[in-house]
Amino acid sequence: MPELDSDKGERIAKVLARAGIASRRDAEKLIAEGRVVVNGQKLDSPAFFVTPEDRVTVNGTPVAAAERTRLFRYHKPRGLVTTHKDTEGRPTVFENLPAGLPRLVSVGRLDLTSEGLLLLTNDGALARKLELPANGWIRRYRARVHGKVEEAALAALTRGITVEGVKYGPIEAGLDSRRGANSWLTVSIQEGKNREVRRVLQHLGLHVTRLIRVAYGPFQLGLLPESGVEEVNAKVMRDQLGVDAAPRLQRGTERVAEVPEPVTKPARAPRARRAGDPQLTPWGAADWAAEDGKPPGARKPPRRGA
């Protein structure tokens, strides 16, 4: 079967994924098994483009039109794997999402023991676009570490570092507060390589005991509760992503997502707070108080998002 010009359509695997039939990889398996038909002809290759005028069926059932592009903020708790299927049988993010959501994919990943902001979308192409380091989007984390923190070593990370043959780009890291052998750091990265924060801090002799992503580009974790999901509204989709998304409809008591105002200059990571800053209470101070049995400081820490 001849392939259509890519300017006049989308790849069939992408169409099936956007319609919620299967992931792109699974869509390619459906094609290989001869279960996908376009305009009455069975496909034998995923290298095929279709237009809205083409009639596509899977197992004899017509494929509905793709949904509009949607993006969600999700507060991932610890203990979930960011995948649709886990070979070890561990619980996954997608198994624990609230009912009624479309089929979603993640923008990047958070590992099993990491928590915090995870972006989810029904558009695989958008997910890949948002993952690219070329966007210049900062991924900001809060890290609780055990070990001696050398602020000079943290400052040197702005020049980049190579760990076990892997080269990491500039990293902004700073000490927020310290109690004994435990400290809270703010770490901002752009590349987002596999386990980047943990590996770099481990290289500095610091063991990460808790890692929370609090921002991904202009999107903030904020006060989103653990396991909570909120949809990014149409205005932010247009302003930040250039996606012409339809206005979101409010259903029942569902909350309309409130996302901070667009960030127009994300090129440089925010400078981390330093221990002893009289204007800011160390984030995580309450956790330390609970751990060592000592009362928190005179100033009550701000309420956290989870």
Side-chain angles (χ1 to χ4, degrees), residues 9 19 36 49 65 120 137 145 172 179 186 219 222 226 236 253 289 295 305:
V36 180
F49 293 86
L120 305 173
W137 278 9
V145 300
E172 289 278 350
R179 183 179 292 271
T186 293
F219 302 101
E226 187 174 282
V236 174
T253 59

Side-chain angles (χ1 to χ4, degrees), residues 7 19 128-129 136 226 247:
D7 292 334
R128 285 190 295 278
K129 176 181 177 181
E226 187 174 282

Side-chain angles (χ1 to χ4, degrees), residues 153 155-163 166-172 191 200:
L157 294 177
T158 57
R159 299 192 294 270
I161 189 172
T162 299
V163 179
V166 179
K167 186 176 181 180
Y168 298 99
I171 298 172
E172 289 278 350
E191 293 179 307
V200 169

Side-chain angles (χ1 to χ4, degrees), residues 76-81 90-92 111-114:
K76 176 192 174 297
R78 286 175 287 183
L80 298 182
V81 183
R90 294 170 296 183
T92 73
D111 62 34
L112 179 69
T113 56
S114 296

Side-chain angles (χ1 to χ4, degrees), residues 181-259:
N182 292 309
S183 304
W184 279 98
L185 311 177
T186 293
V187 182
S188 300
I189 63 177
Q190 281 192 10
E191 293 179 307
K193 291 181 178 177
N194 185 33
R195 298 177 65 82
E196 179 173 347
V197 175
R198 293 181 185 275
R199 288 175 174 172
V200 169
L201 293 181
Q202 184 68 44
H203 182 73
L204 299 183
L206 302 173
H207 175 62
V208 177
T209 58
R210 192 174 181 190
L211 187 62
I212 308 166
R213 183 156 66 191
V214 296
Y216 192 106
F219 302 101
Q220 310 290 320
L221 179 64
L223 298 179
L224 188 65
E226 187 174 282
S227 298
V229 180
E230 286 190 351
E231 185 168 4
V232 176
N233 63 46
K235 181 180 184 301
V236 174
M237 293 283 282
R238 289 192 298 269
D239 294 346
Q240 290 293 342
L241 310 177
V243 175
D244 190 16
R248 177 172 182 250
L249 299 178
Q250 184 173 3
R251 299 180 179 179
T253 59
E254 185 181 30
R255 295 173 59 191
V256 176
E258 293 294 338
V259 181

Side-chain angles (χ1 to χ4, degrees), residues 102-150:
R103 188 183 188 284
L104 300 171
V105 296
S106 64
V107 178
R109 297 192 176 195
L110 288 174
D111 62 34
L112 179 69
T113 56
S114 296
E115 56 192 293
L117 180 64
L118 184 65
L119 297 180
L120 305 173
T121 178
N122 64 337
D123 189 336
L126 177 63
R128 285 190 295 278
K129 176 181 177 181
L130 300 187
E131 292 169 356
L132 294 175
N135 290 325
W137 278 9
I138 301 299
R139 286 86 153 160
R140 189 166 69 253
Y141 296 80
R142 304 287 303 182
R144 184 177 64 191
V145 300
H146 180 80
K148 184 178 180 180
V149 177
E150 299 287 351

